[in-house]
Amino acid sequence: MQSPNVLKPENSSQPEWAHLPVPVLCLIMDNLSEPIYHAWFAGVCKQWHLVAKDYNKKKKALPMLLLSLNNDHKTRRVLYGITEGKIFKNINLEVFYARRCCGFSHGWLATVDENMAITLLNPFKKSATKITLPSLKHRKRIKIPQFNVLKVILSHNPTSSQDNYAVVVIYAPSDLLAFINPTQQYAWTYLDENLMGFTDITFYGGLVYAVGRRGMVVSFDVNSKKYSSHLQLKPNIIVPSCYHRTFRYAERVYIVESMKGDLLVVRRFMERKEGLLEEIEEGEEERKSVTESFKVHKLLLNDQTKGSLEEHVEVKSLGDEALFVGDNQSMSILASNFPGCQPNSIYFTDDSIDVFAIKNTYCPKGPFDMGIYCLENGTFQKHYTPEYKHRYLAPPLWVVPPLQ
């Protein structure tokens, strides 16, 4: 009798290795340290793809860095793996190398143009059609178009949920909130413009949660029928600004669901530093701030409504978890699943909107403020160090190569 763990069907004409026992294939995947290897593994044949898909459902994939390199391919980017410390230059993704991406969610990148129109693209699937969304409100904006939208996230993958996905954004100049259901709406729904200063958003328990620099946390439902694109939506305020008087202002605040299902608020504090850049060209202004520390709090919400706060608790340890924050949708993983990944740590990229003027143009001032922060002892390590000549290029962000 054939073992249930063997995938080989009767009268198969495929090679024997295509039907190796599932435990053997899982053992192979255990030794594939970078997520791009899993994507390649899944591309071998249908049977291996099924195993890889099931394997990665059980183990959340490790993010990789999407990098811009200063080369002749102005519409190409590459991937960097943090476990091997390796740049995969043989992977050329069709993403304009000098334009900042304002989000990565469910396999899709987001960019914004000078008309405040957001484009969604899937660089890992060439057959995926780009999605252009309606322009956001034309307000007084930042001079650099690529920084007019701070963050974009999706509720679902547009490829697999073509008729049922929502897009939520934080947009300039006051870091306000808006959302759209592209298959159901022709215009954006805007949230109360008296509530501003948001820096991150996430979907949790069927609702959207947004967090701001001064500690404010709000929630709203993008699927509610009572909302109208003609009226400003008033979200539910879960935590008001300056909820704790002892709270320091944080330049960046992130919100992420932990592997245990908790809702975490991650606050990133900056400090001023002189001489950060190694050399300053004429017409440049030196950057003054880098990350000083992080603090993490857990929001304990009412189980019935998810709309009221019961407790706001500081988290001293993340245990085996590692968080990945930046321009991407914030993510958490179990570090023990990936050799070389640091537990109880926060992996961060340079998502600052600091810019400098040079030769009458505006360029990103980085990306140099990146690293790994250990929550236990407050120390920093490096995960990737860009070359100084890449300071004019778009900053890296965390992505997860999907299984095709």
Side-chain angles (χ1 to χ4, degrees):
M1 181 176 178
Q2 184 173 321
S3 167
N5 284 328
V6 177
L7 295 175
K8 185 177 180 180
E10 295 182 6
N11 302 319
S12 173
S13 60
Q14 291 182 311
E16 289 292 330
W17 51 260
H19 308 288
L20 289 171
V22 171
V24 173
L25 294 176
C26 289
L27 183 62
I28 294 172
M29 296 199 72
D30 284 340
N31 289 277
L32 300 178
S33 57
E34 296 292 353
I36 194 63
Y37 297 149
H38 289 208
W40 291 342
F41 179 100
V44 171
C45 62
K46 289 183 178 180
Q47 286 79 2
W48 286 33
H49 181 274
L50 292 173
V51 172
K53 190 174 181 179
D54 185 61
Y55 180 96
N56 281 276
K57 277 184 180 178
K58 297 175 182 177
K59 291 187 177 182
K60 209 169 180 180
L62 180 71
M64 302 182 77
L65 277 177
L66 182 69
L67 299 181
S68 296
L69 297 181
N70 197 4
N71 53 35
D72 294 332
H73 300 289
K74 297 185 182 297
T75 57
R76 299 286 188 272
R77 296 203 199 184
V78 297
L79 293 175
Y80 175 85
I82 61 173
T83 58
E84 294 186 2
K86 174 183 176 181
I87 296 177
F88 290 83
K89 293 185 177 180
N90 59 324
I91 300 174
N92 290 299
L93 301 174
E94 293 189 16
V95 183
F96 188 65
Y97 83 99
R99 177 177 293 176
R100 169 183 170 266
C101 293
C102 49
F104 177 83
S105 181
H106 291 282
W108 291 70
L109 290 169
T111 62
V112 62
D113 65 18
E114 61 277 4
N115 296 315
M116 293 288 279
I118 294 171
T119 297
L120 305 176
L121 63 150
N122 186 337
F124 299 101
K125 191 172 183 180
K126 292 183 178 180
S127 61
T129 304
K130 292 182 180 180
I131 301 171
T132 301
L133 302 175
S135 294
L136 286 157
K137 279 184 181 179
H138 285 264
R139 307 165 48 94
K140 181 181 178 182
R141 301 188 296 269
I142 299 173
K143 292 182 179 179
I144 320 94
Q146 59 185 311
F147 291 105
N148 281 320
V149 172
L150 181 66
K151 179 71 70 79
V152 177
I153 67 167
L154 310 178
S155 62
H156 300 88
N157 186 336
T159 303
S160 55
S161 302
Q162 295 181 11
D163 299 324
N164 183 32
Y165 72 96
V167 183
V168 187
V169 304
I170 301 173
Y171 66 100
S174 301
D175 298 333
L176 305 172
L177 298 169
F179 70 87
I180 190 171
N181 291 285
T183 59
Q184 304 170 26
Q185 298 171 289
Y186 297 100
W188 292 89
T189 296
Y190 296 94
L191 277 74
D192 188 350
E193 293 184 359
N194 292 313
L195 303 177
M196 60 184 70
F198 293 99
T199 60
D200 201 14
I201 38 182
T202 194
F203 282 89
Y204 178 77
L207 299 176
V208 177
Y209 288 79
V211 65
R213 294 183 178 88
R214 299 189 183 277
M216 176 179 283
V217 180
V218 303
S219 69
F220 55 96
D221 184 358
V222 297
N223 296 312
S224 175
K225 302 299 182 183
K226 68 180 180 179
Y227 300 155
S228 169
S229 58
H230 303 292
L231 300 174
Q232 285 189 10
L233 164 68
K234 291 188 179 297
N236 177 42
I237 299 177
I238 297 174
V239 182
S241 291
C242 305
Y243 177 72
H244 288 290
R245 292 183 180 180
T246 57
F247 268 18
R248 291 168 52 198
Y249 174 87
E251 180 63 30
R252 280 287 180 273
V253 187
Y254 309 96
I255 189 163
V256 56
E257 182 178 358
S258 74
M259 295 297 294
K260 297 177 181 178
D262 296 323
L263 193 59
L264 304 180
V265 172
V266 182
R267 307 175 75 227
R268 180 176 179 176
F269 302 102
M270 314 294 285
E271 66 176 336
R272 298 177 68 84
K273 279 207 170 183
E274 304 295 333
L276 177 63
L277 300 182
E278 296 176 359
E279 52 183 291
I280 304 297
E281 296 182 8
E282 185 179 356
E284 293 185 8
E285 296 177 2
E286 187 175 6
R287 184 171 182 167
K288 301 294 184 183
S289 59
V290 293
T291 300
E292 172 199 80
S293 63
F294 286 85
K295 276 191 178 295
V296 180
H297 286 81
K298 178 169 64 175
L299 300 182
L300 298 179
L301 304 175
N302 184 290
D303 289 335
Q304 299 281 327
T305 65
K306 297 293 184 183
S308 58
L309 181 70
E310 294 193 346
E311 200 171 354
H312 196 272
V313 182
E314 184 173 356
V315 176
K316 297 292 187 179
S317 174
L318 296 170
D320 186 32
E321 294 192 38
L323 307 182
F324 290 77
V325 300
D327 285 321
N328 56 286
Q329 183 167 0
S330 302
M331 297 177 275
S332 65
I333 61 139
L334 289 180
S336 58
N337 287 337
F338 307 99
C341 185
Q342 303 296 319
N344 195 24
S345 297
I346 300 168
Y347 285 70
F348 61 97
T349 57
D350 194 338
D351 58 356
S352 174
I353 297 186
D354 288 349
V355 295
F356 58 80
I358 178 171
K359 299 178 182 177
N360 297 320
T361 62
Y362 284 80
C363 302
K365 213 178 201 181
F368 291 95
D369 187 21
M370 304 193 299
I372 310 167
Y373 179 80
C374 177
L375 197 60
E376 180 179 4
N377 54 27
T379 58
F380 290 87
Q381 298 179 49
K382 291 290 187 183
H383 52 67
Y384 169 72
T385 303
E387 296 180 45
Y388 179 74
K389 66 182 180 180
H390 294 158
R391 67 193 184 283
Y392 300 139
L393 301 182
L397 80 161
W398 300 112
V399 300
V400 179
L403 301 179
Q404 301 299 343

